Amino acid sequence: MTARDGGYVPGRHKIDDYGGGGFRFADMSHKGSILALPSGVSAVPLGAAAEIDESTIDRALSESGGLDVFVVGTGQDLLPLATALRAKLRAAGVGCETMATGAAVRTYNMLVDEDRRVGALLIAV
């Protein structure tokens, strides 16, 4: 993604690789964290799981058609998502799975292969 495209790539994309502070998908690479939704992949200005806030969750919940599952990759290590953020997802009927980013990438890709309505917030490692 580039500044020219506003940090957004439309369409549903599996994550081809991760590490080195970023991700590879859709035949391109991106340094930094991402929000992957069925409608597209966006850059998010988060460097750590502790920075995930209500506005990030609201972006995921605004997905047209809704989500069944939201996968959160918290970086190198598994860290819990704040209780209030989990409750917000649950109230919207969206399941939430929190795990280290590597496991989150694998889980997200598997759910995309299953054609599930899945979103992922992936903190770069």
Side-chain angles (χ1 to χ4, degrees):
M1 290 185 286
T2 66
R4 202 169 3 116
D5 60 28
Y8 179 76
V9 177
R12 187 172 186 169
H13 303 283
K14 288 177 58 176
I15 308 303
D16 299 319
D17 198 10
Y18 69 95
F23 301 89
R24 290 195 51 74
F25 57 93
D27 295 324
M28 64 182 67
S29 64
H30 169 74
K31 290 287 186 189
S33 301
I34 58 173
L35 178 62
L37 299 170
S39 60
V41 180
S42 300
V44 291
L46 302 174
E51 298 171 15
I52 301 170
D53 61 13
E54 192 169 333
S55 67
T56 307
I57 301 303
D58 288 342
R59 281 179 66 184
L61 291 176
S62 70
E63 176 66 22
S64 172
L67 297 174
D68 294 325
V69 179
F70 189 59
V71 179
V72 180
T74 59
Q76 192 69 36
D77 300 310
L78 167 63
L79 299 170
L81 189 62
T83 303
L85 301 178
R86 292 183 72 81
K88 186 173 187 86
L89 288 161
R90 189 173 32 258
V94 177
C96 180
E97 297 294 331
T98 305
M99 55 197 77
T101 294
V105 166
R106 292 185 293 277
T107 300
Y108 170 78
N109 284 343
M110 180 187 68
L111 293 169
V112 167
D113 281 343
E114 293 176 357
D115 202 28
R116 300 276 303 273
R117 294 182 309 170
V118 60
L121 173 62
L122 303 169
I123 302 296
V125 293

